[in-house]
Amino acid sequence: VHRPEATGANGAARDHLVSWLTHEGFALRVDAVGNVFGLLDLAGGDAPLILTGSHIDSQPDGGRLDGTYGVVSAVLAAIGLRAEARAGRMRPRCNIGVVAWTNEEGARFQPSLLGSSVYAGAVAADWALDRRDGGGVSLGEALATIGYRGTDTAPAHPAAYVELHVECGPVLEAAGRRLGIFDRWWGCRKIELLLEGEAAHTGPTPMAQRRDALLAASRIIVGLREMADAAAKDALHTSVGRLELWPNSPNVVPARVRLFIELRSPEAAELMRAEAALQALIARTAADRITAIVVRDEYRRPGRFTPALQALAETVARGLGEASLRLDTVAAHDALSLARLCPSIVVATPSCGGLCHTPLERTEPADLELGLDLLTGMLRALLTADALPDREGQCHANSGAVA
Ligand code: GLV
Ligand code: MN
Ligand code: MN
């Protein structure tokens, strides 16, 4: 799967989703940043909305499940619940919406969680549309090319958001559990660093005279790994996932390198410590006649999903005969953006071998089905609840009309 945001392949997947939603009678809305919503009226226009979904953009040469599993499951769950309502087997007090968020991955355009951040009001749509990929193409231009720079108004904020995802880590498999309930999400610091040295001939230029930006980048990469290795277990993950270098010729000393650095931790204090250590590492490295410029610095606070939704997930899992496990998500999800707006949660199925962001991504088919049952059960409970929780978990009477 190679479906970075707003590429041709991403457009084809969006078209497929849209024709499925249309065929199934969902009311379709594509907003200004290309978020695709499919809405089913189950309880009348004024009733609260329960929203579910994920993303269908992928990493370069990524996996089939990351994000897509949540979107496909959301559509299947919504169709199944509508059928239950039509058959009179449940009486929804809310409407249901499914969503595929734009640019969750942050692979082609940075930052990640971009479409959901616009929806949540964390960033402006114009700013999002102006993000540029490595080749200078803006998100707005790329969306227009695939026909997804929409003009519809996004639906009003939901009463709750539930996302189903694969774990993207090894914890559930190691614990022998088939269902996970994310409690905390890790925070992160994402820094784009430009190192500038000087181009020179790789042959005759005396070693002492070189200002090698790639050598400096290498020292930072190794230093970052040592920071994570020196931290307590599960306290800090560090990486450099992408490098761009100029002029990138076998016989020119690299003049300029751009590094995409990530620090991730469940604790804000640990992230601050790591950030300070990184700054010291950059300063030490730059002392060797290299200029270091931070061109992008993004911070995401660690946080917690809504306790009442965690409890609901646990109850529904138990009803399915499964003991669930509460765990952290280290991978980011659009539910983090939604948590600013409404009760929000991600529930998970195991990732075989803990693998994610690779074509080897896999989950046992029976576990994928079980995850869909968990999602459906949670949505059924929310659609029919007398009272819906707020973000802190307090319950409020559901003012939705009974259909
Ligand atoms: C997305 O998968 C992320 O965690 O960065
Ligand atoms: Mn994902
Ligand atoms: Mn991902």
Coordinates of all heavy atoms in Angstrom, one line a residue, residues 51 100 138 175 193 200 362 390:
L51 N -19.6 10.0 16.1 CA -18.7 9.9 15.0 C -17.7 8.8 15.1 O -17.2 8.6 16.3 CB -18.0 11.3 14.8 CG -17.3 11.6 13.5 CD1 -18.2 11.6 12.3 CD2 -16.6 12.9 13.6
A100 N -13.3 9.8 7.2 CA -11.9 9.5 6.8 C -11.1 10.8 6.8 O -11.4 11.7 6.0 CB -11.8 8.8 5.4
S138 N 1.5 22.1 -2.5 CA 0.8 22.3 -1.3 C -0.3 21.3 -1.2 O -0.8 20.7 -2.2 CB 0.2 23.7 -1.3 OG -0.9 23.8 -2.2
A175 N 0.9 -9.9 25.6 CA 0.0 -10.2 26.8 C -1.0 -11.3 26.4 O -1.8 -11.7 27.3 CB -0.7 -8.9 27.2
L193 N 15.2 19.8 11.4 CA 16.5 20.5 11.7 C 17.3 20.6 10.4 O 17.5 19.6 9.7 CB 17.3 19.8 12.7 CG 18.6 20.4 13.1 CD1 18.4 21.6 13.9 CD2 19.5 19.3 13.9
A200 N 32.3 20.5 -1.0 CA 33.7 20.5 -1.4 C 33.9 19.2 -2.1 O 33.1 18.2 -2.0 CB 34.6 20.6 -0.1
R362 N 0.0 -6.9 9.9 CA -1.0 -7.9 9.8 C -1.7 -8.1 11.1 O -1.1 -7.9 12.2 CB -0.3 -9.2 9.4 CG -1.2 -10.3 8.8 CD -0.4 -11.5 8.3 NE 0.1 -12.3 9.4 CZ -0.6 -13.2 10.0 NH1 -1.9 -13.4 9.7 NH2 -0.1 -13.8 11.0
D390 N -19.4 13.4 29.3 CA -18.7 14.5 28.7 C -17.2 14.1 28.8 O -16.9 13.0 29.1 CB -18.9 15.8 29.5 CG -18.4 15.8 31.0 OD1 -17.6 14.9 31.3 OD2 -18.9 16.6 31.8

